[in-house]
Amino acid sequence: GKAGYDWFMLKEIDEQPQAVADTLLGRLGERGEIVLDEVRISDEDLRGITKIFVIACGTAYHAGLIAKYAIEHWTRIPVEVELASEFRYRDPVLDRSTLVVVISQSGETMDTLMAVRHAKEQQARVLAICNANGSTIPRESDAVLYTRAGPEVAVASTKGFLTQVVACYLVGLFLAQVRGLKYEDEVAAVVAELRKLPDQVREVLAGMDEVRELGRSLATESTILFLGRHVGYPVALEGALKLKELAYIHAEGFAAGELKHGSIALVGAGTPVIVVVPSPHGRESLHGKVVSNIQEVRARGARTIVIAEEGDDDVLPYADHVIRVPRTPTLLAPVVTTVPLQILACEIADTRGLDVDMPRNLAKSVTVE
Ligand code: M6R
């Protein structure tokens, strides 16, 4: 049941701190190492990997886009991320030294399953990141890393997504550890940060009343734009997808650096623009560029809603609303920055009188191609 919540989605959003903790449980060792005994691909095979594909659909694809930033940084293995429905029909270049990571909450998505079969035919190793135990995709893959989010009932994926992102971090760090590359030292440091994530998500959730209020004020909008850069870009795409599927509002996510190449033409007086700001403690230029983007859209009349780290006051002059998230390393930030976007979409849809858990035209798992 909904345990007192109006919607399963709200319940599942609130379950995220526990879901993230469960995904990490037993997988972070005492010496800051990653323990993934369940990934039954030999160390020798893992050391021989020369290329990684990450394949998924919808929200899971956004988790895959985040994975690319993390895995390439930690392992120096090239990563390509692709929609399952495109991958199969494109004649991708795969062989024995390719690792294909497929991500699927349900484990039953037909497009993703077909990609698994295609990859196996080409002799690639297939690792599934999956939530539903014993579902088809993990059964057909060489190895599986379960996300342990528990059953997700709402059509819109929330805890499924957050735990997929965390599982991708584990895969990236594990590969870095097995391969002993120069980023290995970083593994222990990142592990310490991963341990903080459940409490940090809890902290974000504790501040969500204001975000719900903000959501109510956006319910009559016809277009809402999302901007992000680096890992904030897939978060922007995810925020836009949530809003489309739940509130039926035209929403688009953009890479902030692309604004000037076209999309800024969409910004007019009062256009809501939601900006995911990178940590000011990460690469300074990255933070500064996004702050200038906020300034640019505001100068063209946008109503700016800014998701920024605690203490980041550089955004204040240009933000109509600031949503605060705790300080994390840049690569881990999506785990906290996505949460307010889920709440916003849910609240906007609810205010519009829509069925948040069962949006029109959608099914929880898409078992046709
Ligand atoms: O079960 P899967 O993770 O394979 O599902 C993939 C997509 O169908 C799914 O993420 C979809 O985009 C959700 N409705 C997003 O909220």
Side-chain angles (χ1 to χ4, degrees):
K2 286 186 233 173
Y5 287 89
D6 290 347
W7 302 108
F8 277 106
M9 186 182 176
L10 283 175
K11 172 169 176 273
E12 289 163 3
I13 287 172
D14 265 2
E15 286 169 349
Q16 291 182 117
Q18 190 58 48
V20 168
D22 289 343
T23 301
L24 293 173
L25 192 72
R27 291 165 173 167
L28 305 180
E30 276 170 23
R31 283 166 289 112
E33 76 280 19
I34 305 290
V35 186
L36 290 187
D37 297 336
E38 59 214 288
V39 174
R40 295 182 190 287
I41 300 178
S42 71
D43 284 5
E44 198 191 329
D45 283 347
L46 292 175
R47 279 194 278 267
I49 293 167
T50 57
K51 182 176 184 179
I52 299 175
F53 275 101
V54 183
I55 308 295
C57 305
T59 283
Y61 170 72
H62 298 152
L65 292 174
I66 294 165
K68 176 183 167 85
Y69 292 86
I71 298 176
E72 284 190 340
H73 177 70
W74 291 328
T75 68
R76 311 311 298 147
I77 306 170
V79 179
E80 248 187 85
V81 191
E82 197 161 8
L83 294 165
S85 53
E86 289 295 322
F87 173 76
R88 258 193 87 214
Y89 292 95
R90 187 179 61 83
D91 203 10
V93 182
L94 307 167
D95 62 26
R96 260 169 216 293
S97 67
T98 311
L99 176 68
V100 175
V101 178
V102 295
I103 310 175
S104 174
Q105 188 285 129
S106 64
E108 300 296 346
T109 301
M110 188 55 77
D111 286 314
T112 311
L113 176 60
M114 289 305 172
V116 170
R117 291 185 181 158
H118 184 75
K120 293 204 74 180
E121 276 163 23
Q122 315 288 310
Q123 321 291 322
R125 303 266 178 258
V126 180
L127 167 64
I129 292 177
C130 214
N131 192 43
N133 275 0
S135 52
T136 311
I137 288 172
R139 277 208 314 270
E140 295 205 12
S141 300
D142 294 306
V144 55
L145 183 61
Y146 280 110
T147 49
R148 306 180 185 149
E152 193 178 59
V153 177
V155 164
S157 185
T158 55
K159 62 177 181 170
F161 173 77
L162 235 56
T163 55
Q164 284 162 352
V165 172
V166 170
C168 289
Y169 296 145
L170 291 173
V171 168
L173 293 168
F174 182 65
L175 285 171
Q177 175 178 294
V178 170
R179 296 162 65 93
L181 294 179
K182 68 172 184 175
Y183 284 89
E184 197 182 2
D185 282 356
E186 219 180 302
V187 174
V190 182
V191 164
E193 297 292 335
L194 286 175
R195 292 185 201 278
K196 298 181 190 164
L197 288 176
D199 280 338
Q200 292 181 320
V201 175
R202 210 166 276 127
E203 204 181 304
V204 176
L205 289 169
M208 283 300 103
D209 284 349
E210 268 176 60
V211 176
R212 296 182 71 160
E213 201 184 304
L214 175 64
R216 291 191 284 276
S217 79
L218 290 166
T220 54
E221 296 294 341
S222 53
T223 290
I224 299 184
L225 306 179
F226 293 74
L227 291 184
R229 194 167 174 130
H230 194 267
V231 289
Y233 170 43
V235 171
L237 295 176
E238 174 60 6
L241 176 62
K242 286 279 136 344
L243 195 61
K244 287 182 239 194
E245 65 180 338
L246 298 178
Y248 320 150
I249 291 177
H250 170 233
E252 276 192 71
F254 298 108
E258 278 289 293
L259 258 186
K260 57 183 174 300
H261 298 291
S263 1
I264 198 161
L266 286 170
V267 177
T271 310
V273 180
I274 303 182
V275 188
V276 185
V277 182
S279 169
H281 302 98
R283 226 182 295 163
E284 205 198 319
S285 54
L286 187 66
H287 174 261
K289 290 223 160 77
V290 176
V291 173
S292 326
N293 292 141
I294 307 172
Q295 192 177 358
E296 280 154 20
V297 294
R298 189 112 177 297
R300 282 156 185 87
R303 173 177 174 200
T304 54
I305 297 156
V306 170
I307 302 181
E309 206 169 273
E310 299 292 348
D312 177 358
D313 291 341
D314 297 344
V315 299
L316 292 177
Y318 319 111
D320 293 306
H321 307 268
V322 183
I323 301 171
R324 290 295 182 186
V325 292
R327 178 172 173 176
T328 58
T330 303
L331 286 169
L332 306 190
V335 176
V336 291
T337 53
T338 306
V339 175
L341 301 182
Q342 300 168 338
I343 305 261
L344 268 182
C346 187
E347 194 63 32
I348 294 173
D350 182 78
T351 309
R352 286 163 73 94
L354 302 172
D355 185 334
V356 169
D357 288 334
M358 290 229 294
R360 68 185 180 196
N361 311 338
L362 296 175
K364 182 62 184 163
S365 68
V366 184
T367 52
V368 291
E369 271 189 88

